[in-house]
Amino acid sequence: MPLVELFTLFPALVLFSFAASITPGPNNILLTYSGSQFGIKKTLPHIVGIRAGMTIIHIAMLMGLGHLVLANPQLHLTFKLLATGYIVYLAYKVAFNHKGPSKLQQQNQPLSFMQGALFQLINPKTMATLLSLTTALTLPGDYYWHSAILGVLVFNVVALGSGLSWTYFGKMLSKKLQNQKHMRRFNYVMASLLLACLPLIHINTL
């Protein structure tokens, strides 16, 4: 029975989705930074963009497109180079922004919906997570698409909550970051965490 199989798979999907989405990675680091600088409301397009981008990639992988990229070494290398360059660029911007949150809100904007979505194409944690969801956490045979759709739904619900939690955490830090000294330290930590994600690009497959 499909319902019995799906019921058995559901707890594993929830646990994996929570572990994968709540742990630090490029998305959560950027959401924490954005929450601290711009607040939750202005960060919502970024959050929704992440969910949209990951969902599109998730579905594409379920249809087998992820394996086509893996089979093309040159294309795979191109994605790795783009990911490395963009994460270094973001880390630089974060590290050397020493304006307080109130001043920054008047001059800059958080990542947009489209930027949040497109970033998933070169986010190594996104690719590793979705590969696990589409391979280890789907059922074989006639139940494949039932389990695949369940995985898409469960992961989006759980990951949305995780993203909002990291944004709220950043918002809670915003008052302390009015102090320029605290701001500099916070930015350096966020930038360092982004750079610490770079080994994922070379350890994990796309």
Side-chain angles (χ1 to χ4, degrees):
M1 292 288 291
L3 289 179
V4 175
E5 297 286 345
L6 293 176
F7 183 78
T8 303
L9 181 65
F10 183 77
L13 281 171
V14 172
L15 289 173
F16 176 84
S17 297
F18 178 75
S21 62
I22 201 67
T23 50
N27 282 331
N28 289 337
I29 294 166
L30 290 173
L31 288 177
T32 302
Y33 177 76
S34 184
S36 71
Q37 306 300 311
F38 305 105
I40 297 174
K41 185 176 180 180
K42 288 188 175 182
T43 305
L44 285 177
H46 182 186
I47 296 173
V48 177
I50 291 172
R51 299 272 42 84
M54 291 191 78
T55 299
I56 291 171
I57 297 171
H58 194 166
I59 293 172
M61 284 187 173
L62 288 168
M63 297 175 69
L65 295 181
H67 295 290
L68 292 178
V69 175
L70 282 174
N72 188 327
Q74 290 184 339
L75 185 58
H76 193 191
L77 178 61
T78 299
F79 273 105
K80 284 188 174 185
L81 292 176
L82 286 172
T84 300
Y86 192 61
I87 288 176
V88 170
Y89 166 74
L90 288 174
Y92 174 83
K93 285 189 66 177
V94 169
F96 295 100
N97 167 40
H98 299 319
K99 299 181 179 69
S102 59
K103 292 182 180 179
L104 193 65
Q105 289 183 28
Q106 299 172 4
Q107 298 181 26
N108 295 326
Q109 294 294 325
L111 291 183
S112 66
F113 169 89
M114 189 59 66
Q115 289 173 319
L118 290 176
F119 179 61
Q120 305 319 304
L121 289 170
I122 58 173
N123 183 349
K125 186 182 177 185
T126 290
M127 299 304 178
T129 298
L130 295 181
L131 271 179
S132 297
L133 282 169
T134 56
T135 54
L137 291 168
T138 50
L139 299 174
D142 295 337
Y143 304 151
Y144 177 76
W145 280 106
H146 295 85
S147 62
I149 293 171
L150 179 63
V152 171
L153 294 175
V154 169
F155 184 69
N156 269 298
V157 171
V158 175
L160 177 61
S162 296
L164 288 170
S165 298
W166 280 97
T167 307
Y168 181 76
F169 174 65
K171 175 64 177 177
M172 292 298 97
L173 294 175
S174 61
K175 290 183 179 180
K176 292 185 177 181
L177 300 182
Q178 297 295 336
N179 182 298
Q180 286 293 308
K181 185 177 180 180
H182 291 163
M183 167 65 74
R184 283 194 294 272
R185 289 178 177 175
F186 176 76
N187 288 353
Y188 290 147
V189 170
M190 292 294 102
S192 297
L193 289 173
L194 277 174
L195 293 176
C197 295
L198 289 178
L200 291 174
I201 298 172
H202 304 284
I203 293 173
N204 293 310
T205 59
L206 187 69

